[in-house]
Amino acid sequence: MIDPMQIDLASFVRTWHGPADAAVVKLPPSCDWLPAPLKDWYEFSSQWSTPLMTLKEMKPADQVAIDCGRAIFLEDFGDQAWAFDVEDPLVVLERQSTGEWLRLSEGISEFIVHNVMQESAYMAPYWRSCVEVPDVQLQQILAPMNEVAFGDWFWPRPGHRIFFAEGLVADIGPAMEDLAPWGIKAGYSEVQIGALNPVSLTYLREVQGVEWATSE
């Protein structure tokens, strides 16, 4: 497995999102209470004029506020949210649709890397996606990549994993049943693979029985 803290986040972003095209926006002193890894990310990501994420949205740094000891800094476009613990700012909490907060096993530095890589699988210039891949095909699909040893998230459902190789990044998770209550479909996985070059995805033509949605 790949140690997530051995991934150079700045180099990854520049490779997958292109060079910075704006001047860094320094945070005001009023944001000094934010944990250092989060402040660093706000300032670093400010150098891109286009968003570095589309599945989720960072709250503006000056709008991160404390509520019952938690400071929400990231939300999806539903009812999920992520916060840090004000008493222990390196601890990340994830809010479920029930309103319950659950502590993640990864700290905020690892969480930021995890989030950026997961988003990049969907924002890559070239991609393949399938919501029902037979699990027996995963070994062939993931052969060029190695798993990144991230901690678990509960969003969008437990069991998602990130795989990575030069020019490839994949988000793999349990497939969803076709009908409510939308449980896990046994024997199948959702697969999203992003690539920097379409040639890197040609090996997927050899995978039998999978109908890919594609970027082309």
Side-chain angles (χ1 to χ4, degrees):
M1 281 196 178
I2 300 170
D3 180 349
M5 300 320 296
Q6 294 301 310
I7 293 171
D8 184 331
L9 181 59
S11 177
F12 179 89
V13 171
R14 293 186 181 104
T15 298
W16 284 81
H17 296 272
D21 60 358
V24 63
V25 178
K26 302 293 288 185
L27 294 183
S30 60
C31 294
D32 285 349
W33 67 283
L34 299 175
L38 188 56
K39 288 191 294 183
D40 291 345
W41 173 249
Y42 274 116
E43 293 186 352
F44 175 74
S45 62
S46 71
Q47 298 174 90
W48 279 261
S49 58
T50 56
L52 298 181
M53 59 185 70
T54 57
L55 303 177
K56 301 176 290 296
E57 185 175 30
M58 294 285 294
K59 293 179 71 69
D62 59 0
Q63 293 181 24
V64 177
I66 300 171
D67 182 12
C68 299
R70 304 176 185 95
I72 296 174
F73 63 89
L74 180 68
E75 297 175 306
D76 76 348
F77 294 95
D79 50 15
Q80 300 284 117
W82 293 265
F84 63 86
D85 187 327
V86 175
E87 296 298 322
D88 191 351
L90 300 184
V91 169
V92 181
L93 304 163
E94 183 178 318
R95 186 177 65 198
Q96 306 303 291
S97 58
T98 59
E100 179 184 11
W101 285 97
L102 299 175
R103 176 172 175 161
L104 299 184
S105 60
E106 56 189 17
I108 197 164
S109 294
E110 182 178 328
F111 175 85
I112 291 170
V113 177
H114 190 168
N115 186 60
V116 171
M117 294 189 74
Q118 191 258 355
E119 290 271 353
S120 296
Y122 293 83
M123 296 181 68
Y126 306 97
W127 52 263
R128 298 289 183 273
S129 178
C130 183
V131 296
E132 289 187 5
V133 173
D135 287 343
V136 294
Q137 305 286 39
L138 287 181
Q139 183 175 356
Q140 183 180 3
I141 291 170
L142 298 173
M145 294 173 275
N146 290 304
E147 185 173 357
V148 185
F150 287 122
D152 291 334
W153 286 0
F154 303 98
W155 179 94
R157 58 181 53 216
H160 274 252
R161 299 177 293 160
I162 299 295
F163 291 77
F164 179 59
E166 184 176 355
L168 288 170
V169 62
D171 178 21
I172 312 296
M176 183 185 297
E177 290 180 338
D178 299 328
L179 300 172
W182 318 114
I184 291 174
K185 187 168 186 176
Y188 292 86
S189 295
E190 295 181 357
V191 175
Q192 174 78 28
I193 303 177
L196 296 174
N197 189 312
V199 174
S200 301
L201 297 168
T202 56
Y203 78 99
L204 295 173
R205 297 172 185 167
E206 306 302 319
V207 180
Q208 301 297 312
V210 177
E211 296 186 11
W212 298 104
T214 76
S215 55
E216 296 109 34

